[in-house]
Structures are given as C-alpha cells and as structure tokens.
Amino acid sequence: MCSTCGCGLTRDDDHRGVISEEAHGSGNFVHLEVMRHLLEENQNQALHNRNHFCRNGVLALNLMSSPGSGKTTLLEATIEAIGHDLRIGVVVGDLETERDAQRIRARGVPAVQISTGQGCHLDAAMVHRAIEELDLSALDILFVENVGNLVCPASFDLGQCRNVTLLSVTEGDDKPAKYPIMFRAADLVVLSKSDLLPYLDDFDPGAAQAAVRALANDSPVLTLSARRGDGMENWLHWVQSELGRFRARHTPPQLPAA
C-alpha cells in the first residue's frame, strides 16, 4: 500500500474506517478527491523543478519500469560510454537501501538516493529535495531512476523532459497492454536484457512494439542488452539527440566576448 499517492484507498476503505467519517458520498468520490489534490500539488512542484532544469540546461530523463528490468545496469553502461564527454547526475528511488546509488557513485558520478519507505513512486517534491544536493550547473543530463512499479510512477510528473520506460524481455510482451498508462506516457520504450531472448520462447519484440502502437504511441522502441552492449548505440544516439534538442530550446545564446 502506498502512503503517498492514495493508491492504497479502495472502494471498501470507507467501511473499514480508513476514509474520514466527514467525507460525504462514495469511497470512489473520496479517492478521486484525494488524487486530485495530490496531483495538483505535485504539478506545481514539477513546474518548479522543470524551471530549475531549463535554467541550468539540464536534460532530465525519468526512467520507469518494474523492479529488476535493468535500469541501474543501463545507467552504468551509459556512464561508461559517454560519462567522459557528458556530465551526468543520477537520482535513485527505492523503498529502502542505497545499493543502486552506491553502484552509480562507484562509476564516479554523483548520485542521490531517495528512500520512499512505503511510497510506490517518486514525486516532484522528493526530486526537488534530491536535486538540492546536486550542482545542476555542473550537469548536462540528470537521470531519475524511479521506483520499480508499472502503475503509479506514470501519474506523477517530476519536472522531467522525457519519460523512458524499460520492459525486460523476461516480463512478457503483453505488459504494454496490461499497463497502458505507463507505456502510453513513454517517450521511449526500451526492451532490455535482449541477451536473454535466445533462451525465451514467450517474448516477441515485434509483439511488444505492436502493443505499444495499439496505445496510439508512436515513440521509438529499442531493443538492447546493456550487459553485453548490443543495441546500446541506438540508446546513446537517442540520449544525445534529446540533449541537443533540449539545449537548442533552453540554453541561452552565448554573448560574444567584449
């Protein structure tokens, strides 16, 4: 149960005393009111975060997926490939432990760990507190590794520029159909752990892409193995292209020297 987004409130909660007795109407109505308030507050903070990123010319990418899809491994491979040319920072969300942030720091990249406790996603306020520990003026790209969850993270704007959704080939090619909000929100879908495809007979990358297209999402779908390096060039090209487009929109022109 999430203690921060209201997803723990169900239509039966009012009969168990979870919803305030002062609330009138159905449990569904109260649930919607809670979510509306939370999302409005989150949107205000997300706009504030976005202004920070734009002022500093930092491309913020929100990585979302279920647990174990390979987000941290992809970040490690990305740092190894372009970390010498681009200044990278990472914010990591997990319920507990600093293990993923420690893996990132071991690569020489600043990383802030957010421990959400019972929270099933990051929100804009959490990200704002995290970026206060980073020098945004010293970064080109900020990766936000969201909590492993295919439901709630898609509903909370963090101020990011783009959403990246990972789908491991071990999860099944039907996940975009089962979790449409997450995959509809994706600006890029990454089919990860492709080195395992020869050992699986129930994952078809074409079927996964068709499921994404059925959501009226025409964003790129990339297949890669961060561990083996297959397909990484397409991912790196996408990241660098997005940074170029972002900088063209948000970096003030440099004045000539007097």
Side-chain angles (χ1 to χ4, degrees):
M1 178 183 295
C2 179
S3 61
T4 60
C5 74
C7 71
L9 298 178
T10 71
R11 63 185 63 183
D12 296 322
D13 281 338
D14 50 343
H15 300 300
R16 295 198 298 265
V18 175
I19 294 175
S20 169
E21 292 181 0
E22 296 179 2
H24 298 288
S26 69
N28 284 342
F29 174 76
V30 175
H31 180 97
L32 291 174
E33 283 297 303
V34 169
M35 286 301 297
R36 182 186 62 79
H37 175 72
L38 287 169
L39 291 173
E40 283 181 357
E41 290 296 317
N42 188 78
Q43 284 299 112
N44 292 334
Q45 183 64 69
L47 178 60
H48 183 69
N49 292 351
R50 188 166 287 112
N51 288 337
H52 276 301
F53 298 140
C54 291
R55 280 201 309 271
N56 288 279
V58 176
L59 175 70
L61 301 176
N62 179 27
L63 274 58
M64 301 182 290
S65 74
S66 61
S69 66
K71 296 188 296 295
T72 308
T73 301
L74 177 60
L75 289 178
E76 289 176 313
T78 301
I79 293 165
E80 182 69 22
I82 61 174
H84 298 294
D85 302 316
L86 295 173
R87 302 167 299 171
I88 295 173
V90 179
V91 171
V92 182
D94 278 309
L95 271 67
E96 296 292 346
T97 84
E98 286 219 353
R99 292 176 183 175
D100 288 348
Q102 289 169 350
R103 288 171 58 182
I104 298 300
R105 293 179 196 130
R107 300 278 176 171
V109 165
V112 179
Q113 181 79 47
I114 299 174
S115 296
T116 63
Q118 295 185 22
C120 59
H121 60 90
L122 295 179
D123 62 30
M126 295 177 191
V127 171
H128 185 263
R129 288 193 293 272
I131 62 177
E132 288 182 334
E133 299 183 34
L134 296 169
D135 180 4
L136 291 182
S137 68
L139 298 181
D140 297 305
I141 302 174
L142 178 70
F143 290 101
V144 179
E145 183 181 335
N146 218 312
V147 178
N149 182 346
L150 282 178
V151 183
C152 297
S155 298
F156 284 78
D157 186 3
L158 308 178
Q160 74 276 9
C161 180
R162 293 287 184 266
N163 288 319
V164 178
T165 300
L166 277 69
L167 172 62
S168 167
V169 301
T170 60
E171 297 178 66
D173 52 31
D174 59 348
K175 290 300 178 290
K178 289 185 173 182
Y179 299 90
I181 296 175
M182 173 67 71
F183 288 90
R184 190 177 290 120
D187 299 295
L188 174 73
V189 175
V190 173
L191 307 181
S192 61
K193 301 187 178 182
S194 65
D195 53 302
L196 298 178
L197 281 172
Y199 310 102
L200 302 171
D201 59 5
D202 59 351
F203 190 97
D204 177 2
Q209 178 166 332
V212 173
R213 298 288 176 258
L215 301 174
N217 186 345
D218 61 357
S219 297
V221 178
L222 306 181
T223 302
L224 61 79
S225 168
R227 189 173 298 278
R228 198 165 64 185
D230 300 343
M232 279 294 294
E233 66 278 2
N234 295 324
W235 157 250
L236 297 173
H237 175 73
W238 183 86
V239 170
Q240 292 168 314
S241 297
E242 287 299 324
L243 177 60
R245 282 190 282 268
F246 176 80
R247 286 280 174 84
R249 293 193 304 269
H250 298 293
T251 302
Q254 296 295 315
L255 296 177

